[in-house]
Short mmCIF file of all heavy atoms in Angstrom, two decimals:
data_model
loop_
_atom_site.label_atom_id
_atom_site.label_comp_id
_atom_site.label_asym_id
_atom_site.label_seq_id
_atom_site.Cartn_x
_atom_site.Cartn_y
_atom_site.Cartn_z
N LEU O 110 -18.72 0.01 23.05
CA LEU O 110 -18.60 0.86 21.87
C LEU O 110 -18.94 2.31 22.14
O LEU O 110 -18.25 3.23 21.70
CB LEU O 110 -19.52 0.31 20.77
CG LEU O 110 -19.33 0.91 19.39
CD1 LEU O 110 -18.12 0.30 18.71
CD2 LEU O 110 -20.57 0.69 18.55
N LEU O 111 -20.02 2.56 22.87
CA LEU O 111 -20.55 3.91 23.00
C LEU O 111 -20.04 4.66 24.23
O LEU O 111 -20.40 5.83 24.42
CB LEU O 111 -22.09 3.87 23.04
CG LEU O 111 -22.78 3.31 21.80
CD1 LEU O 111 -24.30 3.33 21.99
CD2 LEU O 111 -22.39 4.10 20.55
N GLY O 112 -19.20 4.03 25.03
CA GLY O 112 -18.69 4.70 26.23
C GLY O 112 -18.11 6.09 25.97
O GLY O 112 -18.44 7.03 26.71
N PRO O 113 -17.29 6.27 24.91
CA PRO O 113 -16.73 7.61 24.67
C PRO O 113 -17.78 8.67 24.32
O PRO O 113 -17.48 9.87 24.37
CB PRO O 113 -15.79 7.38 23.47
CG PRO O 113 -15.43 5.93 23.55
CD PRO O 113 -16.68 5.25 24.03
N LEU O 114 -19.01 8.25 23.99
CA LEU O 114 -20.05 9.20 23.61
C LEU O 114 -21.07 9.43 24.73
O LEU O 114 -22.10 10.07 24.50
CB LEU O 114 -20.79 8.70 22.35
CG LEU O 114 -19.92 8.37 21.14
CD1 LEU O 114 -20.81 7.95 19.97
CD2 LEU O 114 -19.05 9.55 20.75
N ARG O 115 -20.77 8.97 25.90
CA ARG O 115 -21.75 9.05 27.00
C ARG O 115 -22.17 10.48 27.31
O ARG O 115 -23.33 10.74 27.65
CB ARG O 115 -21.18 8.39 28.24
CG ARG O 115 -22.16 8.35 29.41
CD ARG O 115 -21.63 7.53 30.56
NE ARG O 115 -22.55 7.50 31.68
CZ ARG O 115 -22.35 6.80 32.79
NH1 ARG O 115 -21.25 6.05 32.92
NH2 ARG O 115 -23.25 6.82 33.77
N ASP O 116 -21.26 11.42 27.16
CA ASP O 116 -21.60 12.80 27.47
C ASP O 116 -22.65 13.37 26.53
O ASP O 116 -23.30 14.37 26.85
CB ASP O 116 -20.35 13.69 27.40
CG ASP O 116 -19.40 13.44 28.58
OD1 ASP O 116 -19.84 12.82 29.56
OD2 ASP O 116 -18.23 13.86 28.49
N ASP O 117 -22.84 12.74 25.38
CA ASP O 117 -23.85 13.21 24.41
C ASP O 117 -25.25 12.70 24.77
O ASP O 117 -26.23 13.09 24.10
CB ASP O 117 -23.51 12.75 23.00
CG ASP O 117 -22.31 13.49 22.42
OD1 ASP O 117 -22.11 14.66 22.80
OD2 ASP O 117 -21.57 12.90 21.62
N LEU O 118 -25.35 11.85 25.78
CA LEU O 118 -26.65 11.27 26.11
C LEU O 118 -27.68 12.35 26.41
O LEU O 118 -28.86 12.21 26.05
CB LEU O 118 -26.49 10.33 27.31
CG LEU O 118 -27.71 9.46 27.67
CD1 LEU O 118 -27.99 8.45 26.56
CD2 LEU O 118 -27.45 8.73 29.00
N SER O 119 -27.25 13.43 27.04
CA SER O 119 -28.19 14.48 27.42
C SER O 119 -28.78 15.22 26.22
O SER O 119 -29.77 15.93 26.37
CB SER O 119 -27.49 15.49 28.35
OG SER O 119 -26.40 16.10 27.69
N THR O 120 -28.19 15.05 25.04
CA THR O 120 -28.70 15.73 23.85
C THR O 120 -29.78 14.93 23.15
O THR O 120 -30.41 15.44 22.23
CB THR O 120 -27.56 16.00 22.86
OG1 THR O 120 -27.07 14.75 22.32
CG2 THR O 120 -26.41 16.73 23.52
N LEU O 121 -30.03 13.72 23.59
CA LEU O 121 -31.02 12.86 22.94
C LEU O 121 -32.42 13.15 23.44
O LEU O 121 -32.60 13.65 24.57
CB LEU O 121 -30.69 11.39 23.22
CG LEU O 121 -29.77 10.65 22.25
CD1 LEU O 121 -28.45 11.37 22.09
CD2 LEU O 121 -29.55 9.21 22.71
N PRO O 122 -33.44 12.85 22.62
CA PRO O 122 -34.82 12.93 23.12
C PRO O 122 -34.98 12.08 24.37
O PRO O 122 -34.32 11.04 24.53
CB PRO O 122 -35.65 12.37 21.95
CG PRO O 122 -34.80 12.62 20.74
CD PRO O 122 -33.38 12.45 21.21
N GLY O 123 -35.85 12.50 25.26
CA GLY O 123 -35.97 11.87 26.57
C GLY O 123 -36.18 10.38 26.53
O GLY O 123 -35.53 9.63 27.28
N ALA O 124 -37.09 9.90 25.69
CA ALA O 124 -37.40 8.48 25.66
C ALA O 124 -36.19 7.67 25.18
O ALA O 124 -35.89 6.59 25.71
CB ALA O 124 -38.60 8.22 24.75
N GLN O 125 -35.49 8.20 24.18
CA GLN O 125 -34.30 7.50 23.68
C GLN O 125 -33.21 7.47 24.74
O GLN O 125 -32.58 6.44 24.97
CB GLN O 125 -33.78 8.20 22.42
CG GLN O 125 -34.69 8.08 21.21
CD GLN O 125 -34.09 8.77 19.99
OE1 GLN O 125 -32.90 9.04 19.93
NE2 GLN O 125 -34.93 9.06 19.00
N ALA O 126 -32.98 8.62 25.37
CA ALA O 126 -31.94 8.70 26.40
C ALA O 126 -32.24 7.74 27.55
O ALA O 126 -31.34 7.04 28.04
CB ALA O 126 -31.82 10.13 26.91
N ALA O 127 -33.48 7.69 27.96
CA ALA O 127 -33.85 6.82 29.08
C ALA O 127 -33.68 5.35 28.71
O ALA O 127 -33.19 4.55 29.51
CB ALA O 127 -35.29 7.11 29.50
N ALA O 128 -34.09 4.99 27.49
CA ALA O 128 -33.97 3.60 27.05
C ALA O 128 -32.51 3.16 26.96
O ALA O 128 -32.14 2.08 27.44
CB ALA O 128 -34.66 3.41 25.69
N LEU O 129 -31.67 4.00 26.37
CA LEU O 129 -30.27 3.64 26.23
C LEU O 129 -29.57 3.63 27.58
O LEU O 129 -28.78 2.73 27.88
CB LEU O 129 -29.56 4.61 25.28
CG LEU O 129 -28.11 4.25 24.92
CD1 LEU O 129 -28.06 2.91 24.20
CD2 LEU O 129 -27.48 5.34 24.08
N ALA O 130 -29.86 4.62 28.42
CA ALA O 130 -29.25 4.66 29.75
C ALA O 130 -29.61 3.43 30.56
O ALA O 130 -28.77 2.85 31.27
CB ALA O 130 -29.68 5.93 30.48
N SER O 131 -30.86 3.00 30.45
CA SER O 131 -31.28 1.80 31.18
C SER O 131 -30.60 0.56 30.62
O SER O 131 -30.14 -0.30 31.37
CB SER O 131 -32.80 1.67 31.08
OG SER O 131 -33.23 0.45 31.68
N ALA O 132 -30.53 0.47 29.28
CA ALA O 132 -29.94 -0.72 28.64
C ALA O 132 -28.47 -0.87 28.96
O ALA O 132 -27.96 -1.99 29.08
CB ALA O 132 -30.15 -0.63 27.13
N LEU O 133 -27.75 0.26 29.11
CA LEU O 133 -26.30 0.21 29.32
C LEU O 133 -25.90 0.43 30.77
O LEU O 133 -24.71 0.50 31.08
CB LEU O 133 -25.62 1.26 28.42
CG LEU O 133 -25.90 1.16 26.93
CD1 LEU O 133 -25.01 2.11 26.15
CD2 LEU O 133 -25.69 -0.28 26.43
N GLY O 134 -26.86 0.56 31.66
CA GLY O 134 -26.54 0.76 33.06
C GLY O 134 -26.07 2.15 33.38
O GLY O 134 -25.39 2.39 34.38
N TRP O 135 -26.44 3.11 32.53
CA TRP O 135 -26.06 4.50 32.75
C TRP O 135 -27.13 5.27 33.53
O TRP O 135 -26.94 6.44 33.83
CB TRP O 135 -25.84 5.21 31.42
CG TRP O 135 -24.61 4.74 30.67
CD1 TRP O 135 -23.62 3.95 31.15
CD2 TRP O 135 -24.27 5.06 29.32
NE1 TRP O 135 -22.67 3.74 30.19
CE2 TRP O 135 -23.03 4.41 29.05
CE3 TRP O 135 -24.88 5.81 28.32
CZ2 TRP O 135 -22.41 4.51 27.81
CZ3 TRP O 135 -24.24 5.90 27.08
CH2 TRP O 135 -23.02 5.26 26.84
N GLY O 136 -28.23 4.63 33.82
CA GLY O 136 -29.31 5.29 34.53
C GLY O 136 -30.07 4.30 35.37
O GLY O 136 -29.64 3.17 35.60
N GLU O 137 -31.24 4.74 35.82
CA GLU O 137 -32.06 3.86 36.65
C GLU O 137 -32.53 2.66 35.84
O GLU O 137 -32.91 2.80 34.67
CB GLU O 137 -33.28 4.63 37.17
CG GLU O 137 -32.93 5.75 38.14
CD GLU O 137 -32.30 5.23 39.41
OE1 GLU O 137 -32.67 4.12 39.85
OE2 GLU O 137 -31.40 5.91 39.96
N PRO O 138 -32.51 1.47 36.43
CA PRO O 138 -32.99 0.28 35.70
C PRO O 138 -34.48 0.39 35.42
O PRO O 138 -35.25 0.87 36.26
CB PRO O 138 -32.67 -0.87 36.65
CG PRO O 138 -32.59 -0.24 38.01
CD PRO O 138 -32.05 1.15 37.79
N ALA O 139 -34.86 -0.03 34.21
CA ALA O 139 -36.27 0.00 33.83
C ALA O 139 -36.99 -1.21 34.42
O ALA O 139 -36.37 -2.22 34.75
CB ALA O 139 -36.40 0.00 32.32
N GLN O 140 -38.29 -1.09 34.56
CA GLN O 140 -39.08 -2.19 35.08
C GLN O 140 -39.14 -3.34 34.08
O GLN O 140 -39.27 -4.50 34.46
CB GLN O 140 -40.49 -1.71 35.42
CG GLN O 140 -40.52 -0.68 36.53
CD GLN O 140 -39.94 -1.20 37.82
OE1 GLN O 140 -40.22 -2.31 38.26
NE2 GLN O 140 -39.09 -0.37 38.45
N VAL O 141 -39.06 -3.01 32.79
CA VAL O 141 -39.04 -4.01 31.73
C VAL O 141 -37.82 -3.75 30.86
O VAL O 141 -37.22 -2.69 30.92
CB VAL O 141 -40.34 -3.97 30.87
CG1 VAL O 141 -41.54 -4.32 31.71
CG2 VAL O 141 -40.51 -2.59 30.24
N ARG O 142 -37.47 -4.75 30.04
CA ARG O 142 -36.31 -4.60 29.17
C ARG O 142 -36.50 -3.40 28.24
O ARG O 142 -37.58 -3.18 27.71
CB ARG O 142 -36.09 -5.87 28.35
CG ARG O 142 -34.89 -5.79 27.39
CD ARG O 142 -34.61 -7.11 26.73
NE ARG O 142 -34.10 -8.08 27.70
CZ ARG O 142 -33.67 -9.31 27.37
NH1 ARG O 142 -33.70 -9.69 26.11
NH2 ARG O 142 -33.23 -10.12 28.31
N ALA O 143 -35.42 -2.64 28.03
CA ALA O 143 -35.49 -1.44 27.20
C ALA O 143 -35.98 -1.76 25.79
O ALA O 143 -35.63 -2.78 25.21
CB ALA O 143 -34.11 -0.79 27.13
N ASP O 144 -36.85 -0.89 25.26
CA ASP O 144 -37.40 -1.05 23.93
C ASP O 144 -36.28 -1.03 22.90
O ASP O 144 -35.49 -0.10 22.83
CB ASP O 144 -38.39 0.08 23.66
CG ASP O 144 -39.06 -0.06 22.32
OD1 ASP O 144 -38.48 0.41 21.32
OD2 ASP O 144 -40.16 -0.63 22.26
N ARG O 145 -36.23 -2.06 22.04
CA ARG O 145 -35.13 -2.18 21.08
C ARG O 145 -35.16 -1.06 20.05
O ARG O 145 -34.10 -0.62 19.59
CB ARG O 145 -35.16 -3.55 20.39
CG ARG O 145 -34.75 -4.69 21.31
CD ARG O 145 -34.42 -5.93 20.51
NE ARG O 145 -34.00 -7.03 21.38
CZ ARG O 145 -33.45 -8.15 20.93
NH1 ARG O 145 -33.26 -8.34 19.65
NH2 ARG O 145 -33.09 -9.11 21.76
N PHE O 146 -36.35 -0.63 19.67
CA PHE O 146 -36.43 0.48 18.72
C PHE O 146 -35.81 1.73 19.30
O PHE O 146 -35.02 2.42 18.63
CB PHE O 146 -37.89 0.73 18.33
CG PHE O 146 -38.07 2.00 17.54
CD1 PHE O 146 -37.75 2.03 16.18
CD2 PHE O 146 -38.50 3.17 18.14
CE1 PHE O 146 -37.89 3.21 15.45
CE2 PHE O 146 -38.65 4.34 17.42
CZ PHE O 146 -38.34 4.35 16.07
N LEU O 147 -36.15 2.05 20.54
CA LEU O 147 -35.61 3.25 21.16
C LEU O 147 -34.08 3.15 21.37
O LEU O 147 -33.36 4.13 21.19
CB LEU O 147 -36.29 3.50 22.50
CG LEU O 147 -37.76 3.92 22.43
CD1 LEU O 147 -38.36 4.03 23.83
CD2 LEU O 147 -37.89 5.26 21.69
N VAL O 148 -33.60 1.95 21.70
CA VAL O 148 -32.16 1.77 21.85
C VAL O 148 -31.47 1.95 20.51
O VAL O 148 -30.42 2.60 20.42
CB VAL O 148 -31.84 0.39 22.46
CG1 VAL O 148 -30.33 0.12 22.43
CG2 VAL O 148 -32.37 0.30 23.89
N GLY O 149 -32.05 1.40 19.45
CA GLY O 149 -31.48 1.58 18.12
C GLY O 149 -31.50 3.03 17.69
O GLY O 149 -30.52 3.54 17.12
#
Side-chain angles (χ1 to χ4, degrees):
L110 191 78
L111 298 180
L114 305 183
R115 183 173 179 176
D116 288 345
D117 289 329
L118 189 67
S119 61
T120 67
L121 270 56
Q125 292 181 18
L129 187 62
S131 175
L133 303 188
W135 291 349
E137 294 296 327
Q140 297 300 315
V141 296
R142 179 173 291 185
D144 183 274
R145 288 196 179 191
F146 170 79
L147 290 175
V148 172

